[in-house]
Amino acid sequence: MEVKARQLKRVDLVEVSGRVDSATAPQMEAALQAIMAKERFHIVVDMQGLEYLSSAGLRVLVAALKQARRWNRGDIRLANVPPRIQDVLELGGLDVLFRSFDNAVDAVGSF
């Protein structure tokens, strides 16, 4: 798994690729926590290169979403969600928690 974070003007863009499972979820969590430690709570997670997302990865996303929303009306939005991952979100009932966009540009512009 690879996580790349870029700070834009008002939003942080986190690109996640590969497999997020119990072994790699802490790496994604660390990237999200580092952004929020800087008091930046508008985050877009670009999943274009994501192949697999386990329940551990889902827990990281939900925990980060709760933390972001607690402070300064923050939010975490998803971009380029692969169909298989979208199915997992829907099965878990998490699709209603996250706003999803077809591309990162639209997701960033939504803030």
Side-chain angles (χ1 to χ4, degrees), residues 6-101:
R6 287 190 294 158
Q7 184 175 329
L8 306 174
K9 190 172 185 178
R10 298 177 305 150
V11 179
D12 285 87
L13 179 63
V14 178
E15 297 172 341
V16 182
S17 60
R19 296 175 55 86
V20 177
D21 54 26
S22 59
T24 58
Q27 185 181 349
M28 183 171 73
E29 181 178 27
L32 293 170
Q33 290 300 320
I35 292 166
M36 289 189 278
K38 297 176 188 171
E39 296 187 4
R40 296 182 57 88
F41 299 101
H42 292 163
I43 301 170
V44 171
V45 178
D46 187 345
M47 299 182 163
Q48 186 168 3
L50 196 61
E51 299 167 8
Y52 175 79
L53 183 66
S54 74
S55 60
L58 291 172
R59 278 193 299 276
V60 167
L61 286 175
V62 170
L65 177 67
K66 286 180 181 179
Q67 183 178 352
R69 286 186 176 169
R70 250 185 259 142
W71 302 100
N72 300 326
R73 299 180 193 237
D75 200 12
I76 294 180
R77 301 193 179 156
L78 308 179
N80 295 312
V81 182
R84 287 175 41 192
I85 308 270
Q86 183 64 37
D87 291 344
V88 170
L89 291 171
E90 290 171 6
L91 277 171
L94 301 177
D95 57 319
V96 296
L97 292 178
F98 294 96
R99 287 183 61 192
S100 295
F101 295 85

